[in-house]
């Protein structure tokens, strides 16, 4: 029995567990495998970026900017957070007008964003191709160690008294009069819910909502690809890098470079297991060397597509509560960019669970926007 039962031990589940526990709440977190075994764990680091983000998420990112630099102190754990700044590179004439407008909009939202000329770009990133015409620079953007932070959240929650249970998948809900009264684990254990359930199991959420409530979410599953190069010495990349038209994101991870940006793995039809695809690895590598020619000949040490992510049809998450389960908050469909805003979202989710009041910042993410 617990006041707050959380399903899923990724960044969101572990983060909300900590936010609730530090306010003295009685919390039970249930994770199907191990903490950070989903999208919030795995190879390299994650981008913590406002630059180029959907306008509806920018207020959350602005709040997250305040939390990231102090989170390691609050959790007494490493977060690997570094404020490297993000450069959105512009290579084509066609992209300049949009980027200028976007920069202005970001400034209005309180996200420091500068227009950087070709000469300035080359000063910041001397190894870039000469084809880069300009960039939008967000100096407050950076990177963080997602695996360490997620584990740090869970450990800090446990120290404050939260019960964190791994290897405990939730299979079903017990619902009476539109209130979730208990969650049922795969082992048949019944865990009574005294106040709220937080369904934060990411890729598991749509199937579970369909099974339990007959609700369809307009989302689909993706296997995003991330790669780490061999050791590169000296490191030619100084910032978190994005690109206006190439499918590319890059960051320095220690002495290796992480390359990603939207290439994908595929599920093996026989085993159901995610697998990397040679054409996707080669495509991502080719984009990276087109932008940083110095990387031609640098090998890929590791590629991974094992972490499932859910994409919403309009590219922003779904964070809501449904009348058929009125004491259950769910959040999913992070659409490949859910990591950066985690500290802000978990704070507001905990507020909502404790007070019953939804933050106005969550308004754009209602499920009803699709109906
Ligand atoms: C490769 C990759 C790169 C990314 N890059 C970035 C980036 O650079 N910047 C950015 O902002 N975002 C990025 N993202 C997105 C971001 O990492 C995710 O949106 C975020 O981590 C999702 O967190 P989560 O807690 O909702 O999900 P998850 O971390 O997937 O956690 C869900 C947890 O629920 C558990 N679970 C599943 N079923 C059950 C069940 N039945 N019972 C109990 N537990 C269950 C799972 O085991 C899992 O641990 C990236 C994602 C991926 C996959």
């Amino acid at each position: 029995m617990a006041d707050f039962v959380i399903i899923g031990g990724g960044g969101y589940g572990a983060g909300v567990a900590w936010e609730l526990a530090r306010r003295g709440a009685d919390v039970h977190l249930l994770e199907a495998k191990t903490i950070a075994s989903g999208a919030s764990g795995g190879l390299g680091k994650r981008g913590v970026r406002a630059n180029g983000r959907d306008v509806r998420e920018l207020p959350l990112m602005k709040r997250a900017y305040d939390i990231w630099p102090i989170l390691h102190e609050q959790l007494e754990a490493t977060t690997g957070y570094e404020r490297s700044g993000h450069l959105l590179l512009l290579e084509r004439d066609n992209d300049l007008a949009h980027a200028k407008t976007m920069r202005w909009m970001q400034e209005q939202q309180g996200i420091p964003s500068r227009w950087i000329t070709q000469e300035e770009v080359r000063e910041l990133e001397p190894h870039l191709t000469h084809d880069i015409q300009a960039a939008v620079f967000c100096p407050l953007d950076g990177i963080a160690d997602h695996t360490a932070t997620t584990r740090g959240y869970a450990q800090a929650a446990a120290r404050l008294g939260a019960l964190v249970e791994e290897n405990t998948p939730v299979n079903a809900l017990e619902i009476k009069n539109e209130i979730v009264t208990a969650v049922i684990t795969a082992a048949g254990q019944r865990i009574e819910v005294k106040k709220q359930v937080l369904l934060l199991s990411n890729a598991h959420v749509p199937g579970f909502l369909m099974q339990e409530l007959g609700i369809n979410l307009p989302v689909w599953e993706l296997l995003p690809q991330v790669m780490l190069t061999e050791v590169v010495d000296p490191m030619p990349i100084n910032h978190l890098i994005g690109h206006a038209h190439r499918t590319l994101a890059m960051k320095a991870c220690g002495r290796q470079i992480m390359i990603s940006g939207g290439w994908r793995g595929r599920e093996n039809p026989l085993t159901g297991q995610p697998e990397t695809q040679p054409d996707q690895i080669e495509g991502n590598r080719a984009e990276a060397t087109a932008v940083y020619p110095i990387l031609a000949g640098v090998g890929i040490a590791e590629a991974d597509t094992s972490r499932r992510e859910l994409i919403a049809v309009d590219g922003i998450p779904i964070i809501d509560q449904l009348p058929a389960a009125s004491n259950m908050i769910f959040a999913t469909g992070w659409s490949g960019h859910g990591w950066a805003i985690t500290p802000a979202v978990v704070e507001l989710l905990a507020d909502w669970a404790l007070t019953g009041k939804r933050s106005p910042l969550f308004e754009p993410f209602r499920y009803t926007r699709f109906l």
Side-chain angles (χ1 to χ4, degrees), residues 171-175 207-215:
N171 258 7
L173 300 174
E174 181 187 282
I175 302 177
F208 193 61
L209 286 183
M210 178 51 80
Q211 171 193 303
E212 297 298 310
L213 304 175
I215 295 288

Side-chain angles (χ1 to χ4, degrees), residues 7-13 30-41 45-49 53 168-171 200-204 224-226 251 258 304 307-309 331 334-342:
I7 305 174
Y12 281 98
L30 300 159
E31 161 53 43
K33 296 176 182 166
T34 53
I35 297 297
S37 56
S40 308
K45 291 196 171 191
R46 295 270 186 268
V48 175
R49 161 190 70 77
R53 191 170 280 271
T168 312
V170 170
N171 258 7
L200 302 171
S201 43
N202 200 12
H204 164 253
Q225 172 178 285
V226 293
K251 55 181 84 74
M258 184 167 156
D304 181 41
R307 308 286 167 155
R308 295 170 196 272
E309 175 75 335
W334 303 106
S335 304
H337 41 80
W339 178 253
I341 55 176
T342 302

Side-chain angles (χ1 to χ4, degrees), residues 115-184:
W115 186 259
I116 302 280
T117 63
Q118 187 169 43
E119 294 69 36
E120 288 170 312
V121 176
R122 289 197 62 75
E123 269 172 39
L124 292 173
E125 290 288 330
H127 294 287
L128 273 178
T129 167
H130 290 249
D131 295 338
I132 301 300
Q133 298 195 34
V136 179
F137 181 51
C138 283
L140 300 188
D141 285 351
I143 58 175
D145 183 332
H146 48 304
T147 314
T149 307
T150 301
R151 289 182 183 148
Y153 268 137
Q155 285 157 6
R159 281 199 302 276
L160 291 168
L163 179 57
V164 177
E165 249 189 302
E166 296 183 307
N167 303 308
T168 312
V170 170
N171 258 7
L173 300 174
E174 181 187 282
I175 302 177
K176 290 184 185 146
N177 300 324
E178 300 177 340
I179 305 272
V180 182
T181 48
V183 305
I184 314 296

Side-chain angles (χ1 to χ4, degrees), residues 3 17 20 40 45 54 57 196 223 226-227 326 352:
D3 283 349
L20 286 171
S40 308
K45 291 196 171 191
D54 189 290
E57 291 184 17
Q196 288 272 345
L223 297 170
V226 293
M227 313 195 297
S326 59
W352 186 2

Side-chain angles (χ1 to χ4, degrees), residues 263-282:
W263 298 78
R264 303 174 188 190
R266 206 179 310 146
E267 216 169 70
N268 181 315
L270 297 177
T271 64
Q273 291 306 308
E275 287 180 350
T276 55
Q277 303 296 313
D279 66 316
Q280 298 290 301
I281 293 174
E282 189 41 41

